Amino acid sequence: MKAIKIDGRSIAEALRASVARDVALLRDECKFTPGLAVVLVGKDPASSVYVKTKARQAQAVGFKSQQFQLPSDVDEAELLAVIEELNADESIDGILVQLPLPGHINRWRVLEAISPAKDVDGFHPYNVGRLAAGRPALAPCTPLGIVHLINTVVSDLNGLDVVVIGRSNIVGKPLALLLGDAGCTVTGAQLQTRNLPSICRKADIVVAAAGCAELVRGNWLKPGAIVIDVGINRAIDSIGNIRLVGDVAFAEASERASYITPVPGGVGPMTVAYLLANTVKAAVSRRGLSLVRNFESSYISQSCSREHDRALDLERLT
Ligand code: GUN
């Protein structure tokens, strides 16, 4: 069997196009433009690239996009003051503070300072708790993107066995919740998990998010499994070139899997696309509105009046 690649770039592009249509509709009918603020502390090269991509794509879909670049030795109090200002800014619907933060800053104090209604990363304990309770919430972008990718190749996840390797707050833990809600039997694994290969071999879907280059080998997979690779690792090849590799040994895994995400071009683009989708969701929720997407005819928007809310398929935060 030769696996089919799940093309995250084109799936993300379609989602961004749908977000851009939402933005045009909100501008034309509701007279507002969603605003996204992205805050970067320091000059970590990878974070700088991510933040630029997020700001560029935010502009491309028609958002008001603001970028804040703070020095690596910024006081925590100064960073908190920026967040407070953004919380109070009516033109800003989404606030993202790029992680990791420098060691002298308490990450949790920062994440908890972001208004839960503007928490487009879904990292605030309020949203984490609501997600865990199965309540409408702003959920983290990478897990939302992964579920979307899986849904492009299998529409009914009910009863499927999934192994999620990695238990980070950004990917593994929220993804396990989302997949559990979709009816999957989820095994949360990590590098230390005993018998990891044999656990993976029983799974219909393997998600590798452990941050370990080429951890998942071809012979760890059940024939026909769906493989989602969240890893982005730098590896040096036999002639000394640096290349990006995932947490899955791609060539081997492609011989056993039915579908597989490439690195790059798989999960990564979906994370940014869901940041944009979450910003629209936050923008409409904050105003007591709702948008219902119909993927056949792109989307249907309901009236921008609060009275209609109850009649709609709401995904409100309040
Ligand atoms: N660092 C790595 N991934 C993410 C993410 O999804 N959001 C933020 N804010 N920082 C990150």
Side-chain angles (χ1 to χ4, degrees):
M1 178 178 299
K2 193 77 182 166
I4 296 170
K5 267 194 222 177
I6 303 176
D7 181 358
R9 285 200 181 107
S10 65
I11 297 165
E13 194 181 320
L15 180 58
R16 289 198 306 274
S18 153
V19 170
R21 287 192 294 271
D22 291 348
V23 172
L25 180 92
L26 293 170
R27 184 195 58 222
D28 294 347
E29 295 196 11
C30 305
K31 312 299 174 214
F32 73 86
T33 298
L36 174 65
V38 179
V39 181
L40 174 65
V41 180
K43 290 204 158 80
D44 176 72
S47 291
S48 301
V49 171
Y50 291 139
V51 161
K52 272 199 196 108
T53 304
K54 289 169 182 175
R56 183 169 33 80
Q57 293 195 3
Q59 266 173 356
V61 294
F63 287 175
K64 170 187 166 180
S65 168
Q66 277 192 11
Q67 236 183 300
F68 294 81
Q69 163 81 60
L70 304 177
S72 57
D73 61 352
V74 69
D75 272 355
E76 186 179 294
E78 243 177 279
L79 174 56
L80 292 174
V82 170
I83 292 169
E84 268 319 302
E85 241 174 76
L86 293 169
N87 282 341
D89 185 338
E90 272 309 305
S91 72
I92 292 297
D93 299 291
I95 303 168
L96 176 145
V97 177
Q98 186 66 24
L99 301 177
L101 289 167
H104 68 281
I105 292 178
N106 181 321
R107 174 172 49 120
W108 283 112
R109 262 203 293 272
V110 171
L111 295 180
E112 290 179 24
I114 296 172
S115 161
K118 298 188 177 187
D119 170 36
V120 284
D121 257 328
F123 294 165
H124 191 290
Y126 175 86
N127 282 312
V128 174
R130 286 185 64 109
L131 181 68
R135 303 273 292 127
L138 286 165
C141 303
T142 303
L144 287 172
I146 291 170
V147 173
H148 187 130
L149 290 178
I150 294 171
N151 278 141
T152 64
V153 295
V154 50
S155 54
D156 186 5
L157 301 184
N158 217 16
L160 295 184
D161 288 321
V162 186
V163 173
V164 178
I165 311 171
R167 52 189 296 279
S168 69
N169 292 327
I170 296 181
V171 183
K173 286 188 215 164
L175 178 63
L177 290 170
L178 289 172
L179 290 171
D181 283 348
C184 297
T185 303
V186 183
T187 301
Q190 47 195 309
L191 284 175
Q192 301 90 324
T193 299
R194 276 180 287 161
N195 304 323
L196 188 52
S198 59
I199 289 171
C200 287
R201 251 174 240 128
K202 295 194 186 92
D204 302 302
I205 302 174
V206 174
V207 181
C212 180
E214 300 187 323
L215 169 74
V216 175
R217 313 305 309 188
N219 65 8
W220 290 25
L221 299 171
K222 173 161 99 173
I226 295 167
V227 178
I228 305 293
D229 191 348
V230 189
I232 302 179
N233 310 285
R234 273 165 233 286
I236 299 178
D237 68 16
S238 53
I239 52 168
N241 291 328
I242 294 177
R243 65 190 179 100
L244 285 185
V245 296
D247 285 3
V248 176
F250 184 83
E252 288 174 22
S254 296
E255 297 298 326
R256 289 279 276 262
S258 56
Y259 294 95
I260 187 167
T261 59
V263 174
V267 172
M270 296 302 291
T271 298
V272 188
Y274 265 96
L275 172 67
L276 307 177
N278 268 355
T279 303
V280 168
K281 181 173 173 172
V284 297
S285 295
R286 220 161 57 76
R287 291 168 174 83
L289 309 173
S290 73
L291 263 174
V292 181
R293 284 196 186 87
N294 172 340
F295 284 102
E296 274 167 23
S297 56
S298 71
Y299 62 88
I300 299 165
S301 165
Q302 298 294 333
S303 155
C304 294
S305 81
R306 285 166 195 263
E307 292 80 69
H308 282 74
D309 284 357
R310 262 162 277 122
L312 302 176
D313 177 16
L314 284 181
E315 277 215 50
R316 299 238 333 243
L317 290 176
T318 50

